[in-house]
Amino acid sequence: MKKQKRRNNILMLISFVCIALGSILIVYKITLPIVKEKQEKEALEEFYENEIKYDTQVDKNDKIDKTSSSEEKKSKSKLEYVAVLKIPKIKLEKGIVGKSSKYNSVDYGIEVLDSSDTPDTDKGNVILCAHAGNSKVSYFRELDLLKVGDVIMIIYKGKTYQYEIVDIYSIKKTGTAPIKKDRTKSTITLITCIHNTDRQIVLIGNLQNSE
């Protein structure tokens, strides 16, 4: 009887632990998207605040003073966006971290590839990739809705760089993506997988203006 009672107590304890862990997991799954959404909102607000400071200082002195730089370093958000990608047609507005950030990954958001230039590089190429599909980080899920002539914008260092899509093509997913760009122009390249296939879509945009 004692052994049976002890066994029952152990089973009850195990059941309690399993229920507790299950409850914690459910709460975590529910609250995680809320926390991420809050972080995203705070990071975007902080980015735009810094952009206003940057733009104001450039108008005054054609450079950022030491005070502005030190304020930017005291970031409240761990994401610390250096740019924002906006695609009006698909209502996308997403912050982009720097290449060296641990969050510069398609598993977190939009990734800046190592071979990418910054938007202010003359005849450079901004290269961004992100997931398609149905996950929370599938920021390029509607990239296939874009057409030649649609607009892509990058907000960076107080300026908005506006690109017009000039080419769209698909390639087999091999780990590399040949980029067909006009080397005489400043461009942007967006890359994502075509969901449930072994192919990728590549969009090329030429810079139209920056202001």
Side-chain angles (χ1 to χ4, degrees), residues 6 11 64 78-79 100 108 111 116 123 125 130-131 138 164-165:
R6 184 180 178 186
L11 288 174
I64 302 177
K78 64 180 182 179
L79 293 174
S100 60
Y108 289 104
E111 181 176 350
S116 174
K123 299 180 179 62
N125 186 21
H131 283 307
S138 298
E164 181 181 315
I165 298 175

Side-chain angles (χ1 to χ4, degrees), residues 199-211:
R199 299 189 69 79
Q200 291 175 305
I201 186 172
V202 181
L203 291 83
I204 308 290
N206 287 347
L207 181 66
Q208 300 302 305
N209 60 68
S210 59
E211 55 185 21

Side-chain angles (χ1 to χ4, degrees), residues 53-81:
K53 291 175 186 176
Y54 193 106
D55 197 33
T56 302
Q57 198 59 45
V58 168
D59 287 342
K60 289 180 179 178
N61 303 319
D62 199 31
K63 63 181 180 179
I64 302 177
D65 64 4
K66 292 180 181 178
T67 303
S68 296
S69 297
S70 63
E71 285 177 355
E72 286 186 22
K73 287 179 182 178
K74 295 175 182 177
S75 175
K76 295 178 182 178
S77 170
K78 64 180 182 179
L79 293 174
E80 294 188 38
Y81 291 144

Side-chain angles (χ1 to χ4, degrees), residues 48-203:
Y48 285 123
E49 285 173 5
N50 287 333
E51 284 294 289
I52 293 170
K53 291 175 186 176
Y54 193 106
D55 197 33
T56 302
Q57 198 59 45
V58 168
D59 287 342
K60 289 180 179 178
N61 303 319
D62 199 31
K63 63 181 180 179
I64 302 177
D65 64 4
K66 292 180 181 178
T67 303
S68 296
S69 297
S70 63
E71 285 177 355
E72 286 186 22
K73 287 179 182 178
K74 295 175 182 177
S75 175
K76 295 178 182 178
S77 170
K78 64 180 182 179
L79 293 174
E80 294 188 38
Y81 291 144
V82 299
V84 166
L85 173 69
K86 295 182 75 173
I87 307 178
K89 184 174 181 178
I90 59 175
K91 298 179 181 178
L92 175 66
E93 181 180 19
K94 181 71 178 76
I96 300 169
V97 298
K99 288 183 186 178
S100 60
S101 171
K102 68 178 182 179
Y103 298 105
N104 184 37
S105 165
V106 292
D107 293 329
Y108 289 104
I110 296 174
E111 181 176 350
V112 184
L113 297 191
D114 287 338
S115 55
S116 174
D117 300 303
T118 54
D120 57 355
T121 302
D122 185 39
K123 299 180 179 62
N125 186 21
V126 180
I127 311 173
L128 307 174
C129 61
H131 283 307
N134 301 314
S135 73
K136 293 290 184 182
V137 293
S138 298
Y139 293 104
F140 282 178
R141 65 172 63 89
E142 294 185 323
L143 220 58
D144 60 339
L145 299 179
L146 299 178
K147 307 293 182 185
V148 170
D150 286 336
V151 172
I152 300 169
M153 293 183 287
I154 291 277
I155 302 171
Y156 177 74
K157 287 189 176 180
K159 286 187 175 182
T160 297
Y161 295 80
Q162 184 167 308
Y163 303 83
E164 181 181 315
I165 298 175
V166 295
D167 195 12
I168 302 173
Y169 56 92
S170 69
I171 56 174
K172 192 165 185 178
K173 187 162 45 176
T174 61
T176 60
I179 296 173
K180 307 170 186 176
K181 66 156 280 184
D182 185 340
R183 296 185 182 278
T184 67
K185 299 181 182 296
S186 296
T187 56
I188 188 169
T189 300
L190 306 182
I191 305 169
T192 193
C193 296
I194 301 174
H195 193 45
N196 291 328
T197 74
D198 64 348
R199 299 189 69 79
Q200 291 175 305
I201 186 172
V202 181
L203 291 83

Side-chain angles (χ1 to χ4, degrees), residues 33-50:
I34 298 172
V35 171
K36 284 187 174 180
E37 186 177 343
K38 183 180 178 182
Q39 289 175 344
E40 169 80 8
K41 184 179 179 181
E42 289 175 349
L44 279 173
E45 287 175 353
E46 187 174 278
F47 171 81
Y48 285 123
E49 285 173 5
N50 287 333

